[in-house]
Amino acid sequence: QVQLVESGGGLVQPGGSLRLSCAASGSIFSRAVMGWYRQAPGKQRELVAIIASGGYIDSADSVKSRFTISRDNAKNTVYLQMNSLKPEDTAVYYCYCYAGTGYWGQGTRVTVSS
């Protein structure tokens, strides 16, 4: 069983930055694909970015030049650095872990508003 705990969400003004963290329990982290998804009010959950165990990265076109995903296998933690935030980035952000079975975190809310 894997538990994922997100942190780092909050209220930020447009153009600001936040860094989300997701700490994972268990021993599978180093071989897992880790990702961030988000769900805005009234919309479906969508992929933000993923990072594989070997370092392969992919991200949504809407965030590609602004958000950076990274991982620290020694700390069992994946990060999402979000820069130049826009109101449309407002959502609950979920951490996802896949290593044969998928696991979700509880989510952390990000609100971009002036």
Side-chain angles (χ1 to χ4, degrees):
Q1 189 73 11
V2 174
Q3 289 187 328
L4 304 172
V5 179
E6 301 105 330
S7 61
L11 173 64
V12 63
Q13 292 186 343
S17 298
L18 283 175
R19 188 174 83 153
L20 306 183
S21 300
C22 172
S25 65
S27 60
I28 67 169
F29 182 87
S30 62
R31 57 182 174 87
V33 175
M34 300 298 299
W36 288 96
Y37 287 71
R38 67 185 181 186
Q39 188 166 17
K43 295 188 176 181
Q44 290 187 330
R45 193 172 298 189
E46 63 177 1
L47 172 69
V48 177
I50 59 168
I51 182 167
S53 58
Y56 171 82
I57 289 172
D58 197 12
S59 58
D61 288 343
S62 59
V63 307
K64 204 174 285 288
S65 62
R66 302 182 295 121
F67 292 8
T68 302
I69 189 171
S70 61
R71 64 192 293 161
D72 186 336
N73 288 342
K75 296 182 178 180
N76 279 12
T77 301
V78 62
Y79 305 97
L80 185 68
Q81 178 66 45
M82 305 186 294
N83 299 327
S84 302
L85 283 160
K86 303 176 181 180
E88 51 263 44
D89 295 318
T90 295
V92 177
Y93 284 70
Y94 296 92
C95 180
Y96 180 71
C97 171
Y98 181 79
T101 301
Y103 303 89
W104 291 96
Q106 292 299 306
T108 185
R109 185 173 301 274
V110 172
T111 302
V112 185
S113 175
S114 54

